[in-house]
Amino acid sequence: MSLARWPAVLIGLGFAAALILSALRIPDAIDTDIMSLLPGDAHDPVLAAAVVRASEVASNRVVFVIEGATPGERRIAIDALSASLTDTGHFNAADVDGEALWKWLFFHRARLLCPDDRALLEASGGSAIVDHALRQWYAPSMVGMGGLLKSDPFLLTNRLIDCLAPGVFVGDVPAAEMLSGSISASVFRLDVQDDIAAAVASWRMEWEPKGLVLLRGGAIFHATHGAMQARSEVSLIGGITLAAIFLLYWLTFRTLRAPVLAIIMVAYALATGLAVTLLVFSNVHVMALVFGAALIGMVVDYTTYYLVTGIGDAPTSQVQRRAHLFKPLTLGMLTSVGAFAALLVFPVPAFRQMAVFGMSGLVAAWLATFWVIPLIEGGRMATGPGAAWISRRAGYYLARTPAPLWRGLVIFLALLMLAVGWRSGGILDDVRGMQAPSQTLGMEEARLRELSGFEASSAFILVRGDSAADAIRGEEMLLALLPPEDTQAIIFAASRLDPSAGTKARDAELLETRLIAPFLPKLMAELSSNGSNAYEAGDVGQINLPALVASLRGEVSGVHWSLMPVTRTVTLPSIGAGAWQFVDPADLYSALFGEYRRLATFGVAAACFMTGLMLLGIYREFSALRVLLPALLAVVITPTIVMMLGLPFSFFSAMGLFLVLGAGVDYAIFQREHPGEIGKWTRVGIVLAALMTCISLGLLSLSSVLPVRSFGVTVAVGIFVSLALSPFARGRRADISSGDEIES
């Protein structure tokens, strides 16, 4: 019976379509935002929205300081850097935000008061404000400011800038030049990172040889560092894995056809998985691509299993070979797809992308194994030295069915390791320990803090209200209740610049009755100017709220909120506790990671249970549960081994156990379906497949990102343990004598 060719044609057309779609979409669809690796808080949408907004506000801020050379050279160099960054189209210098803030405060100069000035006017101390203004007007720096004399003779706008937004813009740095601003687009976009990095690199090439030193501060530089490492890791892991495929396949099959077929299968499965992921999601996280490199080892298993059916004394015809392979490979595919599908349960976008990537890639590989590889394989393969060596070694160990005593001893040791591991092993939920920061950036930011006090912070106080006015009033109430030392920890409060209507009315009345009416005529006479109309009220609608202020407010499902960035932990008063809360995103996500780690651990147990039910439904006998035993023991033993290697158990380790379960069941199914002599070459395929998976996933240990490293090492160790225990899946004894298998 010949093999139908039309499925292969359809698969080929699908491969071409996947390549075209991936090539068109991938340049603009890579997400490098580390926040995408974090579990979303679906229980509190207001909190989730505030965390995202706070991250955007904090992450988009950048600061540069130039040291060295002469003051004149530094000024020229800082102007050159500003121009280069502005030309990228992604950078806004601080004076852009400062201009908007100045316009807003100038327009509201007769409606807003600093807390100290409010207390001063309430105590009838307006003369102090007048005296301070006069001292400034007589200073040499005020020459040429006649326009301001007519519009703001008390210099109230200057007072508002100094007291209401002191931490928004970093001030002058002694013996250095500073440039601060914000990135107008997401700092986690690769094109934005590349453009800013290119501008900085170009500046360095021109100015560093002249003795100038550049210091950088901001999330974009850490994101760029992480993206560059991820790109390097993808290339390294993928390259070494492909080289390993060529070497191992050449040694096993002694022909270039085998590695070429494996590479074709890998390209087809990865392109299909990527295309399906891009169809389901608007983008794909760069870490999902890193994990996609791990899929190479699993996809290539399918080619391996088919090719080993054509070596030695295995069946000769395509129909026989496919029939020999169809049941175990299909069952293995279903269990592996089920393991990937478990990642869909968790609200982590990057993991859901990995689930879709892996599921579609494995299904694609399964289809190609039965309907494409037989048509292009070209017949039987030679038995290379690698296959012969694996057959002897695997035949000696993997063909043996352990005695009940050994099974009991392994189970006891597994339970003992589980107890020891959970009592003495480390657990990591803290997101701050999941990625090694750049040492260079760390030193630059430490110097920045020393020079200017710049320090990015993502912590904030969240205030809620039933309306926008309620949220503003709640913020004002909280500011009034906080002690002075905690108030100073607040970097910025939107209600200070845009207070409630009641506060604006009271401040306007204080300014009019305690300052403007009694002192303005005298001040104008002292300055020999006519400014009697300087503080007439205007239409508030004529000026827009500065973006800096608007970015700290929002609304979700009818709940209005406002956030106040802070430099440290602030203990909030219990009065009105339901209206406000202190939020440190790092602590929040760490707590969520702990919760999801526990849920994932229970999820692995549930997956084991469901896999057992699936095996019972397929085989319809309780002895089929032996197929689950090797993978189950591997799931129990692996975390302890990984912790002994120095890696703590985390949410990502638990995710890796899902794949250990899926792949481990694959090996056990082949051991059950092909025992004794008929499984001689099947065991060669199992060993080769496990070896490729261990290589591709074990290489993730080279990653600088702990979640990636932890995932890879967990799966690699688990796969090895699953392979070693796979003989437990058989129910019959098989002994080796003189190199031959004899079932008993």
Side-chain angles (χ1 to χ4, degrees):
M1 182 182 296
S2 62
L3 183 66
R5 295 179 180 272
W6 63 266
V9 174
L10 293 178
I11 291 173
L13 292 175
F15 183 23
L19 286 175
I20 293 172
L21 176 63
S22 299
L24 292 176
R25 289 283 308 280
I26 199 63
D28 300 320
I30 299 180
D31 174 20
T32 61
D33 190 347
I34 191 66
M35 300 293 285
S36 299
L37 288 176
L38 303 178
D41 186 4
H43 304 295
D44 191 342
V46 174
L47 178 59
V51 168
V52 172
R53 183 71 60 81
S55 173
E56 292 173 350
V57 172
S59 64
N60 283 28
R61 190 181 180 202
V62 291
V63 172
F64 301 90
V65 167
I66 295 177
E67 294 184 290
T70 66
E73 288 176 316
R74 290 198 298 267
R75 283 192 293 271
I76 296 173
I78 203 73
D79 290 341
L81 178 60
S82 179
S84 181
L85 292 169
T86 302
D87 288 343
T88 66
H90 308 309
F91 174 75
N92 293 324
D95 53 10
V96 175
D97 291 329
E99 181 180 359
L101 188 60
W102 170 271
K103 288 180 178 179
W104 173 266
L105 292 176
F106 176 79
F107 193 80
H108 293 83
R109 63 197 182 283
R111 303 182 185 90
L112 297 178
L113 278 170
C114 301
D116 291 344
D117 286 350
R118 185 179 296 116
L120 193 64
L121 292 179
E122 287 174 345
S124 299
S127 59
I129 297 177
V130 177
D131 293 341
H132 184 263
L134 284 171
R135 287 194 298 271
Q136 287 186 287
W137 281 118
Y138 290 132
S141 61
M142 296 301 292
V143 175
M145 302 299 291
L148 192 59
L149 178 61
K150 295 179 180 180
S151 58
D152 189 11
F154 289 115
L155 298 178
L156 296 178
T157 308
N158 296 42
R159 299 180 70 88
L160 291 170
I161 281 285
D162 290 341
C163 74
L164 296 185
V168 177
F169 307 108
V170 183
D172 295 333
V173 178
E177 289 291 331
M178 193 198 68
L179 173 67
S180 63
S182 61
I183 304 300
S184 57
S186 171
V187 299
F188 301 105
R189 277 174 42 187
L190 289 180
D191 60 328
V192 175
Q193 295 172 7
D194 290 342
D195 291 345
I196 297 296
V200 172
S202 176
W203 184 93
R204 287 186 186 278
M205 289 182 62
E206 180 179 357
W207 293 96
E208 284 190 342
K210 300 178 182 180
L212 293 165
V213 176
L214 178 66
L215 306 176
R216 301 161 296 162
I220 187 171
F221 306 112
H222 292 281
T224 302
H225 173 73
M228 291 178 62
Q229 285 190 315
R231 291 172 177 174
S232 175
E233 289 165 5
V234 169
S235 300
L236 178 64
I237 293 169
I240 296 178
T241 301
L242 293 178
I245 289 175
F246 267 94
L247 178 61
L248 291 176
Y249 271 63
W250 171 260
L251 292 174
T252 302
F253 302 107
R254 209 168 56 190
T255 175
L256 287 177
R257 283 184 297 150
V260 169
L261 286 173
I263 298 302
I264 292 174
M265 175 72 82
V266 168
Y268 163 64
L270 293 183
T272 302
L274 180 58
V276 173
T277 304
L278 290 174
L279 287 174
V280 175
F281 301 94
S282 59
N283 54 31
V284 58
H285 197 276
V286 68
M287 290 307 166
L289 297 180
V290 174
F291 285 117
L295 187 62
I296 294 175
M298 301 186 69
V299 165
V300 89
D301 291 358
Y302 292 14
T303 306
T304 302
Y305 292 142
Y306 183 82
L307 293 179
V308 295
T309 63
I311 62 176
D313 51 359
T316 57
S317 73
Q318 290 178 340
V319 174
Q320 288 177 307
R321 293 169 67 184
R322 291 172 76 245
H324 181 76
L325 188 62
F326 187 82
K327 182 178 179 181
L329 189 59
T330 301
L331 292 177
M333 181 272 293
L334 291 175
T335 54
S336 296
V337 166
F340 270 109
L343 301 180
L344 294 171
V345 176
F346 300 93
V348 183
F351 270 81
R352 289 177 171 174
Q353 292 167 13
M354 288 158 44
V356 173
F357 199 143
M359 292 164 63
S360 52
L362 289 174
V363 171
W366 177 82
L367 290 171
T369 299
F370 288 115
W371 283 279
V372 177
I373 295 296
L375 294 176
I376 63 176
E377 177 225 7
R380 297 176 61 81
M381 293 283 178
T383 305
W389 187 89
I390 292 175
S391 177
R392 289 194 301 272
R393 297 293 183 251
Y396 182 80
Y397 175 74
L398 294 181
R400 293 175 174 271
T401 302
L405 177 62
W406 283 106
R407 292 182 184 178
L409 180 60
V410 170
I411 292 173
F412 171 76
L413 290 176
L415 294 176
L416 180 62
M417 291 183 69
L418 176 65
V420 172
W422 288 118
R423 287 184 62 86
S424 60
I427 292 178
L428 177 65
D429 298 323
D430 192 340
V431 297
R432 286 160 290 214
M434 291 187 178
Q435 185 169 15
S438 165
Q439 292 184 352
T440 300
L441 288 172
M443 290 188 293
E444 290 184 19
E445 290 185 344
R447 178 61 176 161
L448 273 175
R449 285 193 297 272
E450 179 184 340
L451 289 173
S452 65
F454 168 79
E455 185 171 6
S457 174
S458 59
F460 61 91
I461 298 172
L462 175 63
V463 181
R464 309 174 193 235
D466 294 331
S467 65
D470 283 343
I472 294 173
R473 285 192 294 269
E475 193 173 297
E476 291 177 337
M477 182 185 300
L478 177 60
L479 289 171
L481 292 172
L482 287 175
E485 60 272 17
D486 285 340
T487 303
Q488 293 174 0
I490 297 174
I491 298 174
F492 190 71
S495 63
R496 289 172 174 169
L497 279 80
D498 183 32
S500 64
T503 299
K504 288 179 182 177
R506 288 191 296 272
D507 285 351
E509 182 180 1
L510 270 175
L511 283 164
E512 176 63 30
T513 59
R514 302 291 179 92
L515 180 66
I516 297 173
F519 294 105
L520 183 58
K522 297 178 183 178
L523 179 63
M524 291 297 96
E526 175 72 22
L527 297 173
S528 302
S529 176
N530 181 17
S532 58
N533 299 324
Y535 296 104
E536 286 187 354
D539 182 6
V540 177
Q542 294 176 3
I543 189 84
N544 293 324
L545 188 68
L548 184 65
V549 180
S551 65
L552 300 179
R553 293 174 175 173
E555 182 267 334
V556 176
S557 302
V559 178
H560 293 259
W561 53 266
S562 178
L563 57 89
M564 294 184 287
V566 295
T567 58
R568 58 172 175 79
T569 302
V570 175
T571 302
L572 302 181
S574 57
I575 301 174
W580 49 65
Q581 68 182 111
F582 173 81
V583 180
D584 185 338
D587 291 339
L588 174 67
Y589 283 121
S590 297
L592 287 172
F593 266 128
E595 177 185 348
Y596 286 122
R597 172 182 51 79
R598 291 184 288 272
L599 290 175
T601 304
F602 287 117
V604 172
C608 291
F609 178 75
M610 294 302 297
T611 302
L613 291 181
M614 182 185 298
L615 293 171
L616 288 175
I618 293 171
Y619 287 107
R620 299 185 182 278
E621 55 184 37
F622 283 102
S623 62
L625 292 180
R626 291 195 187 97
V627 173
L628 180 61
L629 184 59
L632 181 60
L633 291 173
V635 166
V636 171
I637 295 172
T638 297
T640 300
I641 297 177
V642 173
M643 286 187 280
M644 291 172 62
L645 294 174
L647 287 175
F649 188 77
S650 67
F651 169 59
F652 301 93
S653 306
M655 291 294 96
L657 294 179
F658 282 101
L659 299 187
V660 171
L661 176 64
V665 171
D666 285 0
Y667 306 147
I669 288 173
F670 276 100
Q671 285 278 49
R672 178 183 174 87
E673 293 294 324
H674 297 158
E677 181 64 25
I678 64 172
K680 177 179 180 180
W681 300 111
T682 297
R683 287 187 286 276
V684 172
I686 293 174
V687 174
L688 187 58
L691 184 60
M692 288 307 310
T693 302
C694 286
I695 290 175
S696 62
L697 283 156
L699 286 171
L700 294 180
S701 63
L702 301 176
S703 176
S704 61
V705 181
L706 184 60
V708 178
R709 186 164 68 251
S710 179
F711 183 91
V713 173
T714 297
V715 177
V717 170
I719 292 297
F720 177 80
V721 174
S722 296
L723 175 67
L725 298 180
S726 63
F728 283 39
R730 288 193 303 271
R732 291 170 290 181
R733 291 293 303 273
D735 297 321
I736 307 300
S737 177
S738 301
D740 297 324
E741 295 173 309
I742 303 173
E743 293 190 30
S744 60

